Amino acid sequence: MNDVLIVLTNCPDPESARRIALHLVEQRMAACVNQLAPVQSTYRWNGTVESAVEVPLLIKCTRESYPLVEHAVRELHPYEVPEVIALPLAAGYAPYLRWVADESRAPRSA
């Protein structure tokens, strides 16, 4: 069974996006994080429609490492309620999926 996920989050600026991406990969929570070009987001927050430029991240990890990824994003993200959405993959190139699984094995605490 394929246990690779793509986790989405949007950051308010390139620096916070880089900080989160680097942490996730350095700590082996994710195999790869793509920092995409800025996007214009429109959303309702505290009863008001707002708009902001955000930097999306596509985080490749496994179901097993997802709780660590979510926790790290919540801790490092400057938003009060950051978007953290995990999408399962329907299919993928087997060698790539194995690589993601191999590289998303965060060391366990003793």
Side-chain angles (χ1 to χ4, degrees), residues 16-28 33 76:
S16 61
R18 269 190 294 276
R19 185 176 64 253
I20 291 168
L22 188 60
H23 178 79
L24 294 175
V25 173
E26 282 181 340
Q27 298 302 310
R28 297 183 61 105
V33 179
L76 296 170

Side-chain angles (χ1 to χ4, degrees), residues 57-103:
L57 293 179
L58 299 180
I59 303 161
K60 278 65 129 259
C61 69
T62 62
R63 287 181 191 278
E64 182 181 8
S65 64
Y66 173 79
L68 297 170
V69 169
E70 180 185 300
H71 179 76
V73 170
R74 288 180 21 233
E75 290 295 313
L76 296 170
H77 206 290
Y79 289 170
E80 179 181 343
V81 181
E83 172 186 15
V84 186
I85 300 172
L87 305 173
L89 297 181
Y93 181 51
Y96 178 80
L97 299 178
R98 276 192 301 275
W99 174 79
V100 171
D102 289 345
E103 294 300 320

